[in-house]
Amino acid sequence: MAEQQGKLQLDQAQVKSAVLALQAFLKSKSASESLLLNESQHISLMFTLWKIPRKEQTIRIPLPHGIRTENGEVCLFTRDEPNMTSDQTERFYKKLLTERGVKNVTEVMPFKVLKTEYKAFEAKRRLLGNYDLFLSDARVRRLLPSQIGKHFYESKKAPLSVDLQAKNLGQIMDRLIQGTTMTVGKKGPCCMSRVANSGMTTEEIVENVVAAVDTITSKLDMVEKDKMIKIIHLKSQTSVALPIYTSDLTHLALVEEVRKKAFDEKKKSKKRKAPAENTDTKDGEDGNPEKEEDEDDEDIPQLVPIQTKGKKAKLEGSTKKGQKKVTKPLAGRGGKQNKTGPGKMAKKTMKGPAQKQKRK
């Protein structure tokens, strides 16, 4: 085991011994249970990292030897072609796949069929169990999560997007169908990827394991990719995990140093940005006081005259129309209005000045 130029290199003798042990275990189990060795026994790699990843990542891994058997079911979701029914779009894409040399796709499903026939929860679960791999047209990929549900993503069978308009469509489909994927989550330090099956030879399994480890270490979106991996195990569905790689404790110290440096750099960058923002706010508050006063002076006259003009306009309109409503004078401040008619009001107004003269 050694690391050269940022790449993790496995000890192939250790990998071969682990593969032979797994094959011997599977043969003994199949003999005891009277089962065939070729019956869907998956061999997977389990990665344990030193630190929990901060973000999720899905890594596509091309393999030199295909891991899916002839009985493997593959479903392709396509978009609805304009001016075509669902049967016509299905025939159109099947013809396109045969012309490009793609033979491993067993079902072509337009988006309209998925939306109408697989709307119920039980139908979605049945669809999930009927196929081993799901592919989707890149033009429909963003519409699928709301239609297929969360169980596709929890079981790690999320559809892989494919550009059906690509010229080398046959090569792309073969890589996806015969390859594998690994989902790096942010909930824990462990992640798994299926890299072989029990029907393959020892050499094919070893080549797939080495190729998968190389691509994962190169595509892993973390600091110090080769030193971030703590342990790599090889296991089947029913066997114990056999270690094929173990890193040194010095790698943990290096990873922590790199993370501390990155954290310190972020702190420094935040401190540099903070004084610049403060100076900008001060300039905006104290540097232009005249502009703020001008804005306040402009806002006040716009509001006050509108209300006064509106009142005057109403009074003028009422006088022009000849309405009889006139503001009634009050006898005194806070006095009640008299319920008398207009004749009595006139008499009271006439008696007012005479009474004042008598008092004099």
mmCIF file of all heavy atoms in Angstrom, residues 1-3 7-11 14 46-51 217 224-233 243-255:
data_model
loop_
_atom_site.group_PDB
_atom_site.id
_atom_site.type_symbol
_atom_site.label_atom_id
_atom_site.label_comp_id
_atom_site.label_asym_id
_atom_site.label_seq_id
_atom_site.Cartn_x
_atom_site.Cartn_y
_atom_site.Cartn_z
ATOM 1 N N MET A 1 0.845 -1.199 0.000
ATOM 2 C CA MET A 1 0.000 0.000 0.000
ATOM 3 C C MET A 1 0.875 1.241 0.000
ATOM 4 O O MET A 1 1.733 1.403 0.850
ATOM 5 C CB MET A 1 -0.879 0.016 1.238
ATOM 6 C CG MET A 1 -1.927 -1.080 1.244
ATOM 7 S SD MET A 1 -2.906 -1.063 2.767
ATOM 8 C CE MET A 1 -1.662 -1.599 3.935
ATOM 9 N N ALA A 2 0.630 2.119 -0.935
ATOM 10 C CA ALA A 2 1.443 3.325 -1.015
ATOM 11 C C ALA A 2 0.661 4.386 -1.721
ATOM 12 O O ALA A 2 -0.247 4.119 -2.492
ATOM 13 C CB ALA A 2 2.758 3.041 -1.766
ATOM 14 N N GLU A 3 1.034 5.643 -1.429
ATOM 15 C CA GLU A 3 0.422 6.780 -2.103
ATOM 16 C C GLU A 3 1.489 7.503 -2.901
ATOM 17 O O GLU A 3 2.527 7.873 -2.357
ATOM 18 C CB GLU A 3 -0.196 7.746 -1.093
ATOM 19 C CG GLU A 3 -1.460 7.229 -0.454
ATOM 20 C CD GLU A 3 -1.224 6.599 0.889
ATOM 21 O OE1 GLU A 3 -0.110 6.749 1.421
ATOM 22 O OE2 GLU A 3 -2.139 5.938 1.401
ATOM 23 N N LYS A 7 -2.355 9.805 -5.398
ATOM 24 C CA LYS A 7 -3.199 8.676 -5.771
ATOM 25 C C LYS A 7 -2.973 7.531 -4.791
ATOM 26 O O LYS A 7 -1.845 7.226 -4.425
ATOM 27 C CB LYS A 7 -2.900 8.208 -7.205
ATOM 28 C CG LYS A 7 -3.361 9.188 -8.267
ATOM 29 C CD LYS A 7 -3.129 8.614 -9.649
ATOM 30 C CE LYS A 7 -3.619 9.588 -10.720
ATOM 31 N NZ LYS A 7 -3.430 9.040 -12.077
ATOM 32 N N LEU A 8 -4.071 6.895 -4.432
ATOM 33 C CA LEU A 8 -4.002 5.763 -3.516
ATOM 34 C C LEU A 8 -3.834 4.484 -4.330
ATOM 35 O O LEU A 8 -4.650 4.182 -5.205
ATOM 36 C CB LEU A 8 -5.282 5.718 -2.689
ATOM 37 C CG LEU A 8 -5.348 4.720 -1.540
ATOM 38 C CD1 LEU A 8 -6.188 5.292 -0.411
ATOM 39 C CD2 LEU A 8 -5.955 3.412 -2.001
ATOM 40 N N GLN A 9 -2.796 3.766 -4.052
ATOM 41 C CA GLN A 9 -2.504 2.528 -4.776
ATOM 42 C C GLN A 9 -2.682 1.350 -3.835
ATOM 43 O O GLN A 9 -2.079 1.292 -2.768
ATOM 44 C CB GLN A 9 -1.085 2.553 -5.344
ATOM 45 C CG GLN A 9 -0.887 3.585 -6.447
ATOM 46 C CD GLN A 9 0.499 3.529 -7.051
ATOM 47 O OE1 GLN A 9 1.353 2.796 -6.555
ATOM 48 N NE2 GLN A 9 0.714 4.289 -8.104
ATOM 49 N N LEU A 10 -3.518 0.412 -4.257
ATOM 50 C CA LEU A 10 -3.792 -0.757 -3.444
ATOM 51 C C LEU A 10 -2.733 -1.831 -3.650
ATOM 52 O O LEU A 10 -2.086 -1.897 -4.697
ATOM 53 C CB LEU A 10 -5.163 -1.333 -3.804
ATOM 54 C CG LEU A 10 -6.388 -0.478 -3.498
ATOM 55 C CD1 LEU A 10 -7.626 -1.150 -4.067
ATOM 56 C CD2 LEU A 10 -6.543 -0.273 -2.012
ATOM 57 N N ASP A 11 -2.599 -2.664 -2.634
ATOM 58 C CA ASP A 11 -1.772 -3.860 -2.741
ATOM 59 C C ASP A 11 -2.625 -4.948 -3.393
ATOM 60 O O ASP A 11 -3.569 -5.470 -2.784
ATOM 61 C CB ASP A 11 -1.308 -4.283 -1.348
ATOM 62 C CG ASP A 11 -0.327 -5.442 -1.408
ATOM 63 O OD1 ASP A 11 0.006 -5.876 -2.533
ATOM 64 O OD2 ASP A 11 0.089 -5.920 -0.338
ATOM 65 N N GLN A 14 -3.103 -8.253 -1.574
ATOM 66 C CA GLN A 14 -4.087 -8.205 -0.492
ATOM 67 C C GLN A 14 -5.518 -8.259 -1.045
ATOM 68 O O GLN A 14 -6.394 -8.943 -0.502
ATOM 69 C CB GLN A 14 -3.884 -6.928 0.321
ATOM 70 C CG GLN A 14 -4.846 -6.724 1.469
ATOM 71 C CD GLN A 14 -4.589 -7.679 2.615
ATOM 72 O OE1 GLN A 14 -3.512 -8.262 2.717
ATOM 73 N NE2 GLN A 14 -5.591 -7.843 3.467
ATOM 74 N N MET A 46 -16.639 -0.887 0.649
ATOM 75 C CA MET A 46 -17.117 0.003 1.706
ATOM 76 C C MET A 46 -15.963 0.907 2.134
ATOM 77 O O MET A 46 -14.922 0.412 2.587
ATOM 78 C CB MET A 46 -17.636 -0.800 2.897
ATOM 79 C CG MET A 46 -18.251 0.063 3.981
ATOM 80 S SD MET A 46 -19.093 -0.897 5.265
ATOM 81 C CE MET A 46 -17.707 -1.724 6.036
ATOM 82 N N PHE A 47 -16.176 2.201 1.984
ATOM 83 C CA PHE A 47 -15.165 3.204 2.316
ATOM 84 C C PHE A 47 -15.513 3.840 3.668
ATOM 85 O O PHE A 47 -16.658 4.217 3.899
ATOM 86 C CB PHE A 47 -15.111 4.297 1.250
ATOM 87 C CG PHE A 47 -14.538 3.830 -0.060
ATOM 88 C CD1 PHE A 47 -15.330 3.157 -0.976
ATOM 89 C CD2 PHE A 47 -13.215 4.056 -0.375
ATOM 90 C CE1 PHE A 47 -14.822 2.723 -2.168
ATOM 91 C CE2 PHE A 47 -12.684 3.621 -1.576
ATOM 92 C CZ PHE A 47 -13.494 2.945 -2.477
ATOM 93 N N THR A 48 -14.513 3.968 4.519
ATOM 94 C CA THR A 48 -14.654 4.688 5.792
ATOM 95 C C THR A 48 -13.681 5.860 5.771
ATOM 96 O O THR A 48 -12.471 5.667 5.573
ATOM 97 C CB THR A 48 -14.350 3.775 6.992
ATOM 98 O OG1 THR A 48 -15.176 2.615 6.917
ATOM 99 C CG2 THR A 48 -14.626 4.498 8.305
ATOM 100 N N LEU A 49 -14.196 7.066 5.949
ATOM 101 C CA LEU A 49 -13.401 8.291 5.873
ATOM 102 C C LEU A 49 -13.021 8.763 7.264
ATOM 103 O O LEU A 49 -13.674 8.434 8.263
ATOM 104 C CB LEU A 49 -14.184 9.383 5.139
ATOM 105 C CG LEU A 49 -14.760 8.987 3.762
ATOM 106 C CD1 LEU A 49 -15.586 10.122 3.202
ATOM 107 C CD2 LEU A 49 -13.661 8.591 2.800
ATOM 108 N N TRP A 50 -11.968 9.571 7.331
ATOM 109 C CA TRP A 50 -11.549 10.144 8.607
ATOM 110 C C TRP A 50 -12.545 11.185 9.105
ATOM 111 O O TRP A 50 -12.771 11.303 10.308
ATOM 112 C CB TRP A 50 -10.163 10.792 8.471
ATOM 113 C CG TRP A 50 -9.011 9.823 8.440
ATOM 114 C CD1 TRP A 50 -8.226 9.523 7.363
ATOM 115 C CD2 TRP A 50 -8.516 9.040 9.527
ATOM 116 N NE1 TRP A 50 -7.269 8.600 7.698
ATOM 117 C CE2 TRP A 50 -7.414 8.290 9.033
ATOM 118 C CE3 TRP A 50 -8.874 8.871 10.861
ATOM 119 C CZ2 TRP A 50 -6.695 7.405 9.828
ATOM 120 C CZ3 TRP A 50 -8.137 7.995 11.643
ATOM 121 C CH2 TRP A 50 -7.074 7.276 11.144
ATOM 122 N N LYS A 51 -13.105 11.936 8.203
ATOM 123 C CA LYS A 51 -14.036 13.014 8.576
ATOM 124 C C LYS A 51 -15.340 12.850 7.792
ATOM 125 O O LYS A 51 -15.358 12.299 6.691
ATOM 126 C CB LYS A 51 -13.440 14.394 8.264
ATOM 127 C CG LYS A 51 -12.152 14.701 9.026
ATOM 128 C CD LYS A 51 -12.417 14.949 10.491
ATOM 129 C CE LYS A 51 -11.141 15.313 11.229
ATOM 130 N NZ LYS A 51 -11.384 15.538 12.666
ATOM 131 N N THR A 217 -10.922 7.984 -5.601
ATOM 132 C CA THR A 217 -9.938 8.882 -4.986
ATOM 133 C C THR A 217 -9.672 10.114 -5.849
ATOM 134 O O THR A 217 -9.365 11.185 -5.325
ATOM 135 C CB THR A 217 -8.610 8.125 -4.750
ATOM 136 O OG1 THR A 217 -8.206 7.487 -5.970
ATOM 137 C CG2 THR A 217 -8.766 7.093 -3.660
ATOM 138 N N GLU A 224 -7.288 16.710 0.549
ATOM 139 C CA GLU A 224 -6.405 15.546 0.707
ATOM 140 C C GLU A 224 -7.188 14.252 0.442
ATOM 141 O O GLU A 224 -7.431 13.429 1.327
ATOM 142 C CB GLU A 224 -5.789 15.527 2.115
ATOM 143 C CG GLU A 224 -4.885 16.706 2.425
ATOM 144 C CD GLU A 224 -3.591 16.679 1.636
ATOM 145 O OE1 GLU A 224 -3.177 15.587 1.207
ATOM 146 O OE2 GLU A 224 -3.001 17.745 1.422
ATOM 147 N N LYS A 225 -7.561 14.054 -0.818
ATOM 148 C CA LYS A 225 -8.456 12.956 -1.179
ATOM 149 C C LYS A 225 -7.875 11.590 -0.812
ATOM 150 O O LYS A 225 -8.566 10.743 -0.237
ATOM 151 C CB LYS A 225 -8.735 13.009 -2.681
ATOM 152 C CG LYS A 225 -9.349 14.318 -3.136
ATOM 153 C CD LYS A 225 -9.480 14.346 -4.624
ATOM 154 C CE LYS A 225 -10.003 15.691 -5.097
ATOM 155 N NZ LYS A 225 -10.126 15.754 -6.550
ATOM 156 N N ASP A 226 -6.597 11.376 -1.152
ATOM 157 C CA ASP A 226 -6.014 10.069 -0.903
ATOM 158 C C ASP A 226 -5.798 9.800 0.584
ATOM 159 O O ASP A 226 -5.844 8.657 1.030
ATOM 160 C CB ASP A 226 -4.690 9.936 -1.659
ATOM 161 C CG ASP A 226 -3.715 11.051 -1.294
ATOM 162 O OD1 ASP A 226 -4.190 12.139 -0.931
ATOM 163 O OD2 ASP A 226 -2.499 10.828 -1.357
ATOM 164 N N LYS A 227 -5.583 10.858 1.384
ATOM 165 C CA LYS A 227 -5.344 10.680 2.813
ATOM 166 C C LYS A 227 -6.624 10.784 3.635
ATOM 167 O O LYS A 227 -6.601 10.538 4.841
ATOM 168 C CB LYS A 227 -4.338 11.721 3.290
ATOM 169 C CG LYS A 227 -2.969 11.524 2.658
ATOM 170 C CD LYS A 227 -2.040 12.668 2.942
ATOM 171 C CE LYS A 227 -0.727 12.446 2.203
ATOM 172 N NZ LYS A 227 0.193 13.580 2.346
ATOM 173 N N MET A 228 -7.721 11.154 3.015
ATOM 174 C CA MET A 228 -8.987 11.234 3.728
ATOM 175 C C MET A 228 -9.610 9.857 3.946
ATOM 176 O O MET A 228 -10.413 9.666 4.858
ATOM 177 C CB MET A 228 -9.958 12.117 2.936
ATOM 178 C CG MET A 228 -11.278 12.381 3.629
ATOM 179 S SD MET A 228 -11.113 13.231 5.182
ATOM 180 C CE MET A 228 -10.674 14.874 4.618
ATOM 181 N N ILE A 229 -9.227 8.866 3.149
ATOM 182 C CA ILE A 229 -9.776 7.517 3.274
ATOM 183 C C ILE A 229 -9.068 6.798 4.418
ATOM 184 O O ILE A 229 -7.840 6.687 4.446
ATOM 185 C CB ILE A 229 -9.622 6.743 1.957
ATOM 186 C CG1 ILE A 229 -10.415 7.435 0.854
ATOM 187 C CG2 ILE A 229 -10.095 5.304 2.117
ATOM 188 C CD1 ILE A 229 -10.157 6.881 -0.533
ATOM 189 N N LYS A 230 -9.856 6.293 5.340
ATOM 190 C CA LYS A 230 -9.316 5.609 6.528
ATOM 191 C C LYS A 230 -9.161 4.102 6.293
ATOM 192 O O LYS A 230 -8.067 3.554 6.463
ATOM 193 C CB LYS A 230 -10.252 5.862 7.707
ATOM 194 C CG LYS A 230 -9.785 5.270 9.025
ATOM 195 C CD LYS A 230 -10.806 5.596 10.112
ATOM 196 C CE LYS A 230 -10.374 5.002 11.448
ATOM 197 N NZ LYS A 230 -11.360 5.290 12.508
ATOM 198 N N ILE A 231 -10.239 3.435 5.908
ATOM 199 C CA ILE A 231 -10.220 1.992 5.676
ATOM 200 C C ILE A 231 -11.084 1.691 4.462
ATOM 201 O O ILE A 231 -12.110 2.350 4.235
ATOM 202 C CB ILE A 231 -10.748 1.200 6.905
ATOM 203 C CG1 ILE A 231 -9.977 1.556 8.162
ATOM 204 C CG2 ILE A 231 -10.664 -0.298 6.681
ATOM 205 C CD1 ILE A 231 -10.560 0.962 9.426
ATOM 206 N N ILE A 232 -10.687 0.662 3.698
ATOM 207 C CA ILE A 232 -11.487 0.146 2.589
ATOM 208 C C ILE A 232 -11.726 -1.334 2.851
ATOM 209 O O ILE A 232 -10.781 -2.101 3.065
ATOM 210 C CB ILE A 232 -10.798 0.355 1.231
ATOM 211 C CG1 ILE A 232 -10.525 1.837 0.985
ATOM 212 C CG2 ILE A 232 -11.667 -0.194 0.104
ATOM 213 C CD1 ILE A 232 -9.738 2.110 -0.276
ATOM 214 N N HIS A 233 -13.000 -1.732 2.840
ATOM 215 C CA HIS A 233 -13.384 -3.123 3.037
ATOM 216 C C HIS A 233 -14.004 -3.680 1.764
ATOM 217 O O HIS A 233 -14.622 -2.936 0.982
ATOM 218 C CB HIS A 233 -14.394 -3.277 4.179
ATOM 219 C CG HIS A 233 -13.816 -3.010 5.533
ATOM 220 N ND1 HIS A 233 -13.833 -1.770 6.135
ATOM 221 C CD2 HIS A 233 -13.198 -3.842 6.414
ATOM 222 C CE1 HIS A 233 -13.257 -1.829 7.321
ATOM 223 N NE2 HIS A 233 -12.864 -3.087 7.522
ATOM 224 N N PRO A 243 -10.826 -6.275 5.212
ATOM 225 C CA PRO A 243 -10.063 -5.052 4.904
ATOM 226 C C PRO A 243 -9.038 -5.289 3.797
ATOM 227 O O PRO A 243 -8.332 -6.298 3.777
ATOM 228 C CB PRO A 243 -9.368 -4.737 6.238
ATOM 229 C CG PRO A 243 -9.270 -6.044 6.930
ATOM 230 C CD PRO A 243 -10.446 -6.858 6.496
ATOM 231 N N ILE A 244 -8.991 -4.356 2.850
ATOM 232 C CA ILE A 244 -7.991 -4.414 1.778
ATOM 233 C C ILE A 244 -7.071 -3.190 1.791
ATOM 234 O O ILE A 244 -6.084 -3.147 1.057
ATOM 235 C CB ILE A 244 -8.665 -4.542 0.400
ATOM 236 C CG1 ILE A 244 -9.602 -3.361 0.142
ATOM 237 C CG2 ILE A 244 -9.421 -5.855 0.294
ATOM 238 C CD1 ILE A 244 -10.198 -3.336 -1.253
ATOM 239 N N TYR A 245 -7.399 -2.194 2.625
ATOM 240 C CA TYR A 245 -6.546 -1.005 2.756
ATOM 241 C C TYR A 245 -6.781 -0.385 4.123
ATOM 242 O O TYR A 245 -7.927 -0.280 4.582
ATOM 243 C CB TYR A 245 -6.846 0.020 1.666
ATOM 244 C CG TYR A 245 -6.160 1.356 1.886
ATOM 245 C CD1 TYR A 245 -4.829 1.534 1.542
ATOM 246 C CD2 TYR A 245 -6.856 2.430 2.447
ATOM 247 C CE1 TYR A 245 -4.211 2.752 1.749
ATOM 248 C CE2 TYR A 245 -6.232 3.642 2.659
ATOM 249 C CZ TYR A 245 -4.911 3.803 2.311
ATOM 250 O OH TYR A 245 -4.287 4.995 2.527
ATOM 251 N N THR A 246 -5.678 0.001 4.778
ATOM 252 C CA THR A 246 -5.745 0.695 6.060
ATOM 253 C C THR A 246 -4.729 1.825 6.034
ATOM 254 O O THR A 246 -3.542 1.589 5.738
ATOM 255 C CB THR A 246 -5.442 -0.259 7.230
ATOM 256 O OG1 THR A 246 -6.319 -1.379 7.152
ATOM 257 C CG2 THR A 246 -5.642 0.435 8.569
ATOM 258 N N SER A 247 -5.148 3.034 6.325
ATOM 259 C CA SER A 247 -4.254 4.189 6.292
ATOM 260 C C SER A 247 -3.523 4.342 7.622
ATOM 261 O O SER A 247 -3.873 3.704 8.621
ATOM 262 C CB SER A 247 -5.051 5.462 5.992
ATOM 263 O OG SER A 247 -5.968 5.699 7.034
ATOM 264 N N ASP A 248 -2.524 5.205 7.623
ATOM 265 C CA ASP A 248 -1.737 5.468 8.829
ATOM 266 C C ASP A 248 -2.392 6.556 9.668
ATOM 267 O O ASP A 248 -3.173 7.372 9.169
ATOM 268 C CB ASP A 248 -0.317 5.891 8.453
ATOM 269 C CG ASP A 248 0.414 4.806 7.681
ATOM 270 O OD1 ASP A 248 0.131 3.613 7.944
ATOM 271 O OD2 ASP A 248 1.222 5.153 6.816
ATOM 272 N N LEU A 249 -2.025 6.589 10.952
ATOM 273 C CA LEU A 249 -2.541 7.637 11.839
ATOM 274 C C LEU A 249 -1.980 9.006 11.485
ATOM 275 O O LEU A 249 -2.558 10.030 11.833
ATOM 276 C CB LEU A 249 -2.210 7.297 13.290
ATOM 277 C CG LEU A 249 -3.020 6.147 13.908
ATOM 278 C CD1 LEU A 249 -2.463 5.809 15.281
ATOM 279 C CD2 LEU A 249 -4.485 6.506 14.013
ATOM 280 N N THR A 250 -0.836 9.030 10.803
ATOM 281 C CA THR A 250 -0.269 10.320 10.402
ATOM 282 C C THR A 250 -1.180 11.049 9.418
ATOM 283 O O THR A 250 -1.163 12.274 9.348
ATOM 284 C CB THR A 250 1.109 10.105 9.759
ATOM 285 O OG1 THR A 250 0.979 9.171 8.661
ATOM 286 C CG2 THR A 250 2.099 9.551 10.775
ATOM 287 N N HIS A 251 -1.989 10.293 8.675
ATOM 288 C CA HIS A 251 -2.906 10.923 7.718
ATOM 289 C C HIS A 251 -3.953 11.764 8.430
ATOM 290 O O HIS A 251 -4.361 12.817 7.938
ATOM 291 C CB HIS A 251 -3.586 9.845 6.870
ATOM 292 C CG HIS A 251 -2.647 9.130 5.962
ATOM 293 N ND1 HIS A 251 -3.041 8.074 5.173
ATOM 294 C CD2 HIS A 251 -1.318 9.312 5.717
ATOM 295 C CE1 HIS A 251 -2.007 7.635 4.472
ATOM 296 N NE2 HIS A 251 -0.945 8.366 4.786
ATOM 297 N N LEU A 252 -4.390 11.304 9.598
ATOM 298 C CA LEU A 252 -5.374 12.070 10.360
ATOM 299 C C LEU A 252 -4.803 13.419 10.793
ATOM 300 O O LEU A 252 -5.483 14.453 10.707
ATOM 301 C CB LEU A 252 -5.828 11.274 11.582
ATOM 302 C CG LEU A 252 -6.823 11.965 12.515
ATOM 303 C CD1 LEU A 252 -8.113 12.305 11.783
ATOM 304 C CD2 LEU A 252 -7.119 11.090 13.728
ATOM 305 N N ALA A 253 -3.553 13.432 11.234
ATOM 306 C CA ALA A 253 -2.917 14.692 11.633
ATOM 307 C C ALA A 253 -2.792 15.632 10.438
ATOM 308 O O ALA A 253 -3.041 16.844 10.542
ATOM 309 C CB ALA A 253 -1.555 14.414 12.249
ATOM 310 N N LEU A 254 -2.439 15.083 9.267
ATOM 311 C CA LEU A 254 -2.314 15.922 8.076
ATOM 312 C C LEU A 254 -3.671 16.506 7.659
ATOM 313 O O LEU A 254 -3.766 17.688 7.305
ATOM 314 C CB LEU A 254 -1.734 15.105 6.925
ATOM 315 C CG LEU A 254 -0.261 14.676 7.067
ATOM 316 C CD1 LEU A 254 0.107 13.696 5.971
ATOM 317 C CD2 LEU A 254 0.656 15.894 7.022
ATOM 318 N N VAL A 255 -4.711 15.695 7.739
ATOM 319 C CA VAL A 255 -6.050 16.170 7.376
ATOM 320 C C VAL A 255 -6.502 17.280 8.317
ATOM 321 O O VAL A 255 -7.067 18.301 7.892
ATOM 322 C CB VAL A 255 -7.039 14.989 7.396
ATOM 323 C CG1 VAL A 255 -8.478 15.485 7.286
ATOM 324 C CG2 VAL A 255 -6.735 14.036 6.256
#
